[in-house]
Amino acid sequence: MKCDSCQEKATVFYTQIADGQVKKFVLCEKCANEQGITNPDGLLSPGELMGVGAGAEGDSDVLPFESAEECSACGFTLEDFRKIGRMGCARCYEAFGSELAMRLPSMHKGMVHQGYLPEGLLKEQALRGKVEALEKELREAVESEDYEAAAGLRDTIQELKKGGKGGGK
Amino acid sequence: MMRFSTLMKKPADWMSGDVHQTPVVLTSRVRLARNVTDSPFPGWAKKRERQLVFGAIRGELEALGVMKDGFSHELSELETVQKQVLVERHLISREQAARSEGSGAVVNRKQSLSVMINEEDHLRIQAIRPGLELQEAFELSQSVNRGLESKVDFAVDGTLGYLTACPTNLGTGMRASAMLHLPGLVLSDLINQVLKGVNKMGLAVRGIYGEGTESLGNLYQISNQSTLGESEEEILERLSKVIGDVAVYEQQAREKMAKEDGILLKDRVGRAAGVLGNAYVMTSKEALNHLSMIRLGATQGMVPESMVAVCDRLVMESQPAHLQWNSGKKIEPEERDVLRAQMIREHLQSSFPAAIDDIDQSL
Ligand SMILES: [Zn+2]
Ligand SMILES: [Zn+2]
């Protein structure tokens, strides 16, 4: 399969949902990066992959689709999931995120967990929320060309991220 | 460690049969699904992987204070009849009874907590309380979860919550349910209307015994369907509210029947007592339905209140595996009906003259 933007081999598969329309497209690694689709850390949570994370803004969410035919952790395939409706391992939730996203609304009241979380994860979640809020402020500061504030915000964010990693489990 | 025979002799603490606590809602149950991060889910794991998970989790569970001196077995160590008995006691699931190596159960002494290891998920932590006590059951199951989470790495995501083998359990991983005895609503032909209402609230209803829409012994289970998008408290609150309402409707139906159709109700209870006290061959269907009438009579002052506990115990012990285990030998299905009738006759003989007298005196 060839990239939609250039003629390179496509390795990244996405579904874009905007205004209720579902568009599927394929890109090579380079073009995907240029369009800012891939996460630099490659560590999106399954929820974020599905576009339901706190970071999802506006009416356009980007979801990877069929990015995996198979879970790299356990070898369970998308086909298996479609057949039996169960996952092979916890990591399958990342691999088959968009397939899952289509099914969740008919199963549950919501798409985001509201219940109990272990303490470590609660801290992580709170930290993620704080960082996201600061990042928004940072964007606004840059837009209004308040570079002094932006620099300060950037330092705070970096510190928080560092502290978060050290403070984790 | 608790032996299987001890477990059989000791009734579970939720089988108290206190009529004031359990006139309609017999038991409340909460189960939490949990998985470890670094091994495939049991249905996809290789035998070796399952055994490793089983060994690790079993050890941690046995070390927990709440599970001290409990019953702990790999299913491969148990005879078929023993596994079936555990199923009939709701301590393990039918699905799990079919498994063997690398799958097992740890049950506390009171039988109020049972943890299935390597059923559909690595762990299914289940707590049972008598009456309508969903919140208490949740806290009990949560005590096991808390005790384990510092020692075992559970698969949990900030957005999707606890990751489970089946996405229908995602999020809280919590299924809460109550078992209700609803003879008043069934006899008044109000049951379908009420159950439809429960369904509309996003809750699931099913008969406990019998297949399809048939519910033997007028016993029903109401549980939550959705596990993601609401907190445990929200789910439990809504469920408790709906179950409490159903219990009120049931009580009203019983009172109305006793007031308006007293002689008919008395006739049903009396006939059930007559059959149970004098039959020599009894199918489980017949037993469940007659015991249901005696239980109803006991809550309406027609037979002694103590009969509630007797009925609940007989419902449990007249099941096939319990009959076989208590008889100490392999029995054929026809023989089972004879043994069932005998067991019920023997249990009831002492309480029955008084019971029949009471039926006569009532109203
Ligand atoms: Zn390209
Ligand atoms: Zn997997």
Side-chain angles (χ1 to χ4, degrees), chain B residues 104-134:
Chain B
V106 179
V107 180
N108 71 343
R109 285 192 83 80
K110 292 176 174 172
Q111 300 174 48
S112 56
L113 275 169
S114 81
V115 184
M116 289 185 265
I117 307 172
N118 283 333
E119 201 239 25
E120 184 181 290
D121 293 297
H122 290 138
L123 282 126
R124 289 273 173 106
I125 305 165
Q126 184 188 238
I128 315 179
R129 300 297 310 143
L132 182 50
E133 291 195 347
L134 286 169

Side-chain angles (χ1 to χ4, degrees), chain A residues 23-159:
Chain A
K23 275 185 219 148
K24 299 192 172 189
F25 55 99
V26 295
L27 296 169
C28 70
E29 192 102 26
K30 191 167 148 275
C31 293
N33 275 325
E34 273 167 15
Q35 299 196 13
I37 289 168
T38 49
N39 180 342
D41 298 324
L43 276 173
L44 281 173
S45 79
E48 284 170 320
L49 279 174
M50 288 157 27
V52 297
E57 273 188 274
D59 54 4
S60 171
D61 298 330
V62 177
L63 314 173
F65 88 97
E66 294 162 28
S67 49
E69 281 297 327
E70 190 179 300
C71 170
S72 63
C74 77
F76 199 72
T77 66
L78 184 62
E79 211 41 49
D80 290 328
F81 175 49
R82 286 183 176 149
K83 227 183 282 164
I84 65 171
R86 285 190 207 117
M87 298 290 192
C89 77
R91 297 283 302 281
C92 287
Y93 278 95
E94 293 163 42
F96 312 132
S98 66
E99 178 80 13
L100 177 76
M102 292 191 301
R103 297 175 183 224
L104 281 183
S106 65
M107 291 177 187
H108 296 292
K109 290 239 159 174
M111 304 274 275
V112 179
H113 179 55
Q114 306 289 346
Y116 175 84
L117 283 174
E119 215 165 296
L121 208 61
L122 272 181
K123 270 190 208 144
E124 242 172 74
Q125 211 180 30
L127 184 75
R128 203 171 1 143
K130 220 185 266 174
V131 169
E132 270 159 16
L134 287 173
E135 277 170 344
K136 194 168 166 236
E137 270 182 58
L138 174 61
R139 277 196 301 274
E140 283 162 4
V142 171
E143 261 165 43
S144 59
E145 300 185 8
D146 184 352
Y147 297 114
E148 205 176 318
L153 283 164
R154 196 197 51 211
D155 290 348
T156 314
I157 291 169
Q158 270 170 355
E159 231 165 88

Side-chain angles (χ1 to χ4, degrees), chain A residues 3-8 27-28 30-31:
Chain A
C3 172
D4 285 346
S5 296
C6 67
Q7 294 300 303
E8 289 294 308
L27 296 169
C28 70
K30 191 167 148 275
C31 293

Side-chain angles (χ1 to χ4, degrees), chain A residues 45-47 52 74-76 85-90 93 100 104 108-118 121 125 169, chain B residues 40-41 44 120 142 145-146 149 153 155-162 164-165 167-168 171-172 226-232:
Chain A
S45 79
V52 297
C74 77
F76 199 72
R86 285 190 207 117
M87 298 290 192
C89 77
Y93 278 95
L100 177 76
L104 281 183
H108 296 292
K109 290 239 159 174
M111 304 274 275
V112 179
H113 179 55
Q114 306 289 346
Y116 175 84
L117 283 174
L121 208 61
Q125 211 180 30
K169 194 168 164 188
Chain B
F41 298 135
W44 182 241
E120 184 181 290
Q142 185 67 325
N145 175 61
R146 284 217 171 86
E149 71 185 5
D153 248 335
V156 52
D157 175 81
T159 311
L160 287 178
Y162 286 94
T164 49
T168 53
T172 59
S226 165
T227 55
L228 180 66
E230 288 173 293
S231 69
E232 289 86 356

